[in-house]
Amino acid sequence: MLYSRYFIPTVKETPSDAEVISHQLMLRAGMIRKLAAGIYNYLPLGLRSIRKFESIVREEMNRADAIEMLMPSVQPAELWQESGRWQFYGKELLRFKDRKDGEFCMGPTHEEVITDMVRREIKSYRQMPVNFYQIQTKFRDEIRPRFGLMRGREFIMKDAYSFDVDSSAADQSYEKMYNAYQRIFERCGLNFRAVEADTGSIGGSSSHEFMVLADSGEDAIVSCDACRYAANVEKAEARPFQAVTSTEQLPLQKTATPDMKTIADVAAFLGLTADKTIKTLVYSSGSGEHVMAILRGDHELNEIKLKNSLGWDEIQMATEEDILSITGSPVGFLGPLGLKEKVTVIADLAVQTMINVVIGANEKDMHLVNVNLGRDFVPDRFVDLRNVEAGDACPRCESGKLEMWRGIEVGHVFKLGTKYSQALNATYLDADGKEQVIFMGCYGIGIGRTVAAAIEQNHDENGIIFPLPIAPFHCSVVALNTKDKGVMAAAEEIYLKLEKLGIEVLFDDRDERPGVKFKDNDLIGIPLRIVVGSKGLADGNVELKIRKTGEVLLLPIEAAIEQIRQLVASALTCED
Ligand code: ATP
Ligand code: MG
């Protein structure tokens, strides 16, 4: 490709509306341009990386026996009503009507459409296992689209759906996809972890997220320093503390805590640490039900754990009016003792081991001191409710401690069980001619998000450092002085020879100063670069620069070509 004939509109200044580095660099490198919030044009360079990643995904899906197809973006409301998600999916689902007043949505995911196809076409156990995938445009009307392709509203996803005769066959299909995902992200040279995850609005029994590690990641994840346990903090289990039994229970007292509304204020006022206090939170289901959650003062409530333990579809903080009528107290002085209205009280497991604690007295400016579980109150249930923290004991092994990371979720695999097949009545006849419900799994990869995450993980002050397998070009050839016929002839010869070897080359033939060319080449992150200048050429040499290490080798032309061939071949090799 000739740079002069191509279209790479690079930008010097950092765009002010881009918060994370990958978004800044994708704009600056001329890979993407915004059309509307969360909706982007993929410019030629951006599209090349996207396509590169798509082919890796396609190869690995095919290798894992998934079968490619393509479903429409527009989906009829009826299917979503059948699965129950027309109600449940909320505002992320972009809904509209056609000219006949028929209701439709833009597909945010395709469980309904594929299950509808399968219930019509798959009738016998002989047709399974089967796994269909597509690489297709999704639309989700995200509340806060941001970070460029990382959280768009319109974005490209690879989604796959497996269909099996029973749960253990479905586990095998899941395993195959899990392994394919490992290969995909390894082939891209990314530093990632597969972690246990919550199933969210997709549902199902269990799931793993594939997380690219990056400080800017929106997700907090933990991994054990001794065993293989790793989980999203949304899901990570807290190991219960050992009970302390030797401390004497002191008499309960009520004490004034004027204007002390936060845990930190109360603890400081009473001369205690926060772990001697209990925090009380009241939540509502959105449809009139309430629950009180209590946790150790220094712990953080995990709303997803609370929501899952209640089996609610939605969870939100209770309003001040509701809190007042349930407890008789303004926020800041709440507790589980002496409530005005009956409300379920759920305590975090860590509360079980606390003795002589401080709790709000359900009275303005008052707290209770030396409250003891069992003696003074009994919660309705103990549940693991808190977010785990760095240094917590691993929930799986005896010796490990949890380490914390930030991650970008690039892929998600789910065991769905029969959630969608049951709702849409997707059944088959088994070997005895009996009708059975199909078991499903679903598997997503964010294509644009992965390319953005790769940049988030691989860049320096000069720009992107693409991992070679998803770089828009493997190599660039920079002619230093385009007026010099010898330089141009040598550069062109190298360019053509490399292309013949199947290497993707961007030939920087622009009539620009070397400084401009180097800056652009660094910014767009092509992994390998050959620089042809008159000085080196006088000795028959060119410069080979490796973007990642900054290493520069002075080599005879043929040796440079051979070196590039080898570097590209080794970066693209994937072991069986
Ligand atoms: P998130 O929690 O980040 O919103 P999700 O759990 O909603 O993600 P899934 O429904 O599992 O995502 O979708 C599969 C994959 O699609 C995700 O792992 C992610 O890589 C990608 N993805 C999801 N939402 C977006 C988005 N708004 N923009 C770009 N990619 C996305
Ligand atoms: Mg989402």
Side-chain angles (χ1 to χ4, degrees):
M1 181 66 64
L2 298 185
Y3 202 132
S4 63
R5 308 301 313 150
Y6 202 49
F7 183 71
I8 311 179
T10 57
V11 178
K12 270 207 205 85
E13 300 75 35
T14 301
S16 58
D17 58 341
E19 294 165 61
V20 295
I21 193 78
S22 58
H23 186 197
Q24 293 169 4
L25 289 174
M26 289 181 93
L27 288 168
R28 286 190 54 213
M31 295 177 72
I32 55 168
R33 288 292 182 261
K34 180 163 129 181
L35 178 65
I39 303 180
Y40 286 84
N41 282 309
Y42 301 98
L43 302 192
L45 201 66
L47 185 64
R48 281 187 75 104
S49 270
I50 299 260
R51 292 282 184 254
K52 285 287 191 63
F53 181 54
E54 285 176 358
S55 0
I56 293 175
V57 171
R58 196 171 264 121
E59 277 172 34
E60 294 301 334
M61 285 296 114
N62 295 345
R63 181 202 294 268
D65 302 321
I67 308 168
E68 185 165 11
M69 64 175 291
L70 187 59
M71 290 176 259
S73 301
V74 174
Q75 306 184 5
E78 288 78 27
L79 282 180
W80 285 74
Q81 279 151 356
E82 248 187 281
S83 72
R85 285 206 291 185
W86 190 253
Q87 286 281 325
F88 180 59
Y89 216 93
K91 289 196 170 166
E92 254 185 43
L93 190 63
L94 180 67
R95 301 152 209 248
F96 56 93
K97 286 188 176 164
D98 69 3
R99 63 169 79 199
K100 292 186 181 140
D101 245 12
E103 285 193 295
F104 290 87
C105 64
M106 291 300 290
T109 175
H110 278 69
E111 285 78 14
E112 282 79 0
V113 176
I114 191 74
T115 309
D116 176 60
M117 193 278 277
V118 162
R119 73 177 163 186
R120 291 163 199 275
E121 308 296 332
I122 297 218
K123 304 283 183 205
S124 157
Y125 71 97
R126 289 197 193 86
Q127 292 167 284
M128 288 177 281
V130 67
N131 184 339
F132 297 104
Y133 80 95
Q134 63 175 344
I135 297 178
Q136 192 252 13
T137 299
K138 303 280 185 258
F139 195 96
R140 294 183 181 179
D141 202 353
E142 299 272 354
I143 311 183
R144 266 190 304 280
R146 56 187 175 159
F147 306 158
L149 299 193
M150 202 85 92
R151 184 170 297 284
R153 292 197 296 163
E154 185 179 301
F155 59 97
I156 305 171
M157 194 202 285
K158 183 288 300 176
D159 43 332
Y161 305 89
S162 62
F163 298 87
D164 281 283
V165 292
D166 58 26
S167 170
S168 77
D171 286 352
Q172 285 175 32
S173 295
Y174 183 87
E175 190 79 12
K176 261 174 131 171
M177 283 293 107
Y178 182 100
N179 293 336
Y181 277 38
Q182 294 274 1
R183 287 182 58 92
I184 288 168
F185 299 115
E186 270 163 25
R187 280 183 62 179
C188 296
L190 297 172
N191 184 9
F192 69 97
R193 296 269 190 293
V195 304
E196 292 180 14
D198 184 61
T199 52
S201 62
I202 304 280
S205 59
S206 76
S207 84
H208 286 88
E209 286 166 340
F210 287 75
M211 293 282 185
V212 165
L213 302 185
D215 291 341
S216 62
E218 289 187 286
D219 286 274
I221 60 177
V222 290
S223 63
C224 175
D225 62 6
C227 75
R228 293 165 61 93
Y229 182 72
N232 192 313
V233 166
E234 288 178 356
K235 165 91 179 174
E237 298 152 34
R239 180 187 271 255
F241 296 108
Q242 296 286 325
V244 185
T245 45
S246 53
T247 313
E248 189 195 342
Q249 294 193 354
L250 302 172
L252 180 70
Q253 282 174 8
K254 192 148 105 181
T255 197
T257 49
D259 277 336
M260 300 293 144
K261 291 186 189 161
T262 66
I263 289 285
D265 288 346
V266 173
F269 183 76
L270 298 174
L272 300 165
T273 47
D275 61 351
K276 296 284 183 292
T277 70
I278 281 185
K279 76 166 76 157
T280 304
L281 301 157
V282 185
Y283 277 86
S284 100
S285 65
S287 54
E289 292 160 283
H290 287 94
V291 68
M292 177 175 276
I294 61 173
L295 296 98
R296 208 172 84 181
D298 59 330
H299 286 160
E300 208 178 281
L301 176 77
N302 181 320
E303 289 186 0
I304 293 174
K305 287 183 179 176
L306 179 62
K307 178 172 139 222
N308 290 345
S309 80
L310 293 160
W312 290 358
D313 288 346
E314 226 184 285
I315 194 158
Q316 58 203 45
M317 294 283 249
T319 60
E320 286 187 22
E321 296 87 79
D322 284 346
I323 290 175
L324 195 62
S325 70
I326 292 168
T327 65
S329 160
V331 176
F333 309 95
L334 308 183
L337 281 79
L339 295 167
K340 290 270 180 301
E341 285 174 20
K342 172 85 191 105
V343 65
T344 304
V345 178
I346 302 188
D348 177 56
L349 297 177
V351 171
Q352 244 163 343
T353 58
M354 295 175 72
I355 294 173
N356 300 329
V357 296
V358 175
I359 300 188
N362 289 327
E363 191 179 325
K364 189 173 172 352
D365 294 338
M366 298 302 262
H367 275 79
L368 300 172
V369 179
N370 298 329
V371 177
N372 283 295
L373 191 77
R375 185 188 72 182
D376 304 320
F377 79 103
V378 181
D380 293 287
R381 289 209 287 285
F382 286 99
V383 173
D384 172 15
L385 284 185
R386 71 176 178 96
N387 279 336
V388 296
E389 292 165 2
D392 276 358
C394 173
R396 291 294 150 75
C397 72
E398 288 311 314
S399 59
K401 294 245 175 306
L402 297 181
E403 295 178 309
M404 280 264 185
W405 313 86
R406 301 297 306 177
I408 300 168
E409 178 200 324
V410 287
H412 203 165
V413 291
F414 296 82
K415 287 184 189 173
L416 291 174
T418 57
K419 173 173 170 169
Y420 295 92
S421 44
Q422 197 116 48
L424 273 72
N425 201 27
T427 60
Y428 69 97
L429 295 179
D430 68 13
D432 303 323
K434 260 182 57 194
E435 193 177 15
Q436 308 276 6
V437 181
I438 295 175
F439 277 75
M440 290 175 58
C442 74
Y443 317 93
I445 290 182
I447 300 290
R449 188 184 283 185
T450 304
V451 171
I455 295 173
E456 209 57 43
Q457 208 172 66
N458 298 280
H459 64 267
D460 62 13
E461 63 284 3
N462 299 318
I464 302 169
I465 307 175
F466 267 118
L468 192 134
I470 56 167
F473 294 91
H474 301 143
C475 172
S476 62
V477 173
V478 178
L480 279 191
N481 181 356
T482 47
K483 302 261 171 10
D484 183 325
K485 288 219 173 73
V487 166
M488 275 307 267
E492 192 169 356
E493 189 193 327
I494 296 169
Y495 163 53
L496 294 173
K497 278 191 174 160
L498 285 169
E499 285 226 312
K500 239 195 198 134
L501 291 170
I503 288 159
E504 298 166 12
V505 190
L506 182 65
F507 176 20
D508 196 345
D509 60 337
R510 292 175 300 164
D511 184 17
E512 288 282 2
R513 284 180 292 112
V516 171
K517 292 188 174 186
F518 290 151
K519 270 215 162 67
D520 280 341
N521 275 270
D522 278 344
L523 177 60
I524 65 178
I526 312 296
L528 303 166
R529 178 195 307 173
I530 289 190
V531 179
V532 187
S534 46
K535 242 199 239 151
L537 215 50
D539 302 325
N541 288 332
V542 291
E543 256 179 40
L544 167 57
K545 180 165 180 190
I546 297 166
R547 176 74 180 87
K548 188 169 183 167
T549 56
E551 201 181 342
V552 180
L553 306 165
L554 196 63
L555 294 169
I557 292 181
E558 290 305 324
I561 291 175
E562 175 53 21
Q563 185 81 350
I564 294 228
R565 191 192 64 75
Q566 282 179 21
L567 288 167
V568 170
S570 82
L572 294 181
T573 320
C574 46
E575 319 248 301
D576 268 329

